[in-house]
Amino acid sequence: DSGVTQTPKHLITATGQRVTLRCSPRSGDLSVYWYQQSLDQGLQFLIQYYNGEERAKGNILERFSAQQFPDLHSELNLSSLELGDSALYFCASSGSDTYTEAFFGQGTRLTVV
Amino acid sequence: AQKITQTQPGMFVQEKEAVTLDCTYDTSDPSYGLFWYKQPSSGEMIFLIYQGSYDQQNATEGRYSLNFQKARKSANLVISASQLGDSAMYFCAMREGYPGRRALTFGSGTRLQVQP
């Protein structure tokens, strides 16, 4: 058990809909990263939050947004969903912005139909 | 340009034998970290081993060791005494030190199959 909790584990939704993925980092970890794993794009970094503030952006679409709350949990919001958004979405946490390890949650498998 | 390259899409190994999974990387940052993750068919990403760019010795964690050759920019994972449960996808990843680039960059992965 990595200590990173993601909910839900599975999500099936229709095109055009909006969903929210939730991540609780390991106790004490300030940094949260979101990644997308799809068959055609592999594992890609989406966005990072550190202690409530956005720290870095990767290949995140404008339809996607995220935030980190005062209790350090994070949410990734995906809107106007398309079939191509079907993927495994991971959250990872680490202790600081330069901490070595990054531990991943179990992922949320999103299927858009 | 690819920052992490894994040239072996698939590998087979006999149970109890050792196997090496290749990884080369590209960065101009003097401070960076290299990671290996295992992803079994269930989908979770399991952290295996870490090597810092300034570490003098190769990292080891149980049956996993990282063969770090800095001049060649390679960070190969060696799994000794393979077990059936080692069958999975393995990803090499890098974290650079520049602010704003500390997220992990992943390679395309190697699917390892351990045969009895």
Side-chain angles (χ1 to χ4, degrees):
Chain A
D1 184 5
S2 68
V4 181
T5 304
Q6 286 188 249
T7 56
K9 288 186 180 177
H10 301 276
L11 199 48
I12 302 175
T13 190
T15 54
Q17 295 298 306
R18 172 189 168 93
V19 297
T20 297
L21 313 183
R22 182 189 168 101
C23 169
S24 294
R26 291 189 313 160
S27 178
D29 282 0
L30 300 177
S31 201
V32 169
Y33 303 80
W34 285 97
Y35 294 87
Q36 179 195 58
Q37 184 178 29
S38 61
L39 284 174
D40 54 346
Q41 302 278 3
L43 267 158
Q44 289 201 97
F45 165 64
L46 295 178
I47 196 163
Q48 178 201 357
Y49 277 81
Y50 177 76
N51 202 21
E53 295 189 358
E54 182 185 303
R55 183 60 65 98
K57 262 186 175 179
N59 298 321
I60 188 166
L61 299 172
E62 285 192 11
R63 301 183 284 108
F64 296 180
S65 65
Q67 53 186 327
Q68 186 178 27
F69 295 87
D71 67 352
L72 299 177
H73 91 270
S74 178
E75 293 181 355
L76 179 67
N77 300 296
L78 314 176
S79 62
S80 303
L81 285 167
E82 302 175 359
L83 296 177
D85 297 328
S86 295
L88 191 50
Y89 291 84
F90 286 106
C91 163
S93 76
S94 59
S96 73
D97 198 25
T98 57
Y99 204 66
T100 54
E101 294 88 358
F103 292 92
F104 281 71
Q106 291 184 309
T108 294
R109 188 170 296 278
L110 173 67
T111 303
V112 182
V113 297
Chain B
Q2 288 274 35
K3 290 204 167 191
I4 296 285
T5 303
Q6 294 180 255
T7 58
Q8 305 154 313
M11 290 279 287
F12 289 91
V13 65
Q14 291 294 122
E15 196 177 5
K16 299 180 186 176
E17 292 186 351
V19 62
T20 298
L21 306 184
D22 294 342
C23 173
T24 58
Y25 61 92
D26 183 28
T27 181
S28 57
D29 187 354
S31 175
Y32 53 90
L34 297 158
F35 302 74
W36 278 91
Y37 287 86
K38 173 184 178 181
Q39 186 177 40
S41 57
S42 53
E44 70 263 37
M45 293 290 285
I46 302 168
F47 167 73
L48 296 179
I49 197 167
Y50 165 83
Q51 179 87 40
S53 59
Y54 295 117
D55 294 344
Q56 293 297 313
Q57 295 195 343
N58 287 343
T60 60
E61 290 285 349
R63 294 186 299 110
Y64 304 107
S65 60
L66 200 153
N67 184 1
F68 180 46
Q69 298 187 43
K70 195 170 183 177
R72 297 179 62 184
K73 293 191 174 180
S74 75
N76 298 338
L77 177 70
V78 181
I79 306 174
S80 63
S82 297
Q83 302 172 356
L84 294 177
D86 294 334
S87 294
M89 281 290 287
Y90 288 81
F91 291 95
C92 179
M94 177 174 65
R95 168 180 284 166
E96 295 170 287
Y98 296 123
R101 284 164 60 177
R102 294 189 179 128
L104 294 170
T105 301
F106 286 86
S108 55
T110 295
R111 181 172 298 281
L112 177 66
Q113 295 189 54
V114 180
Q115 297 175 320

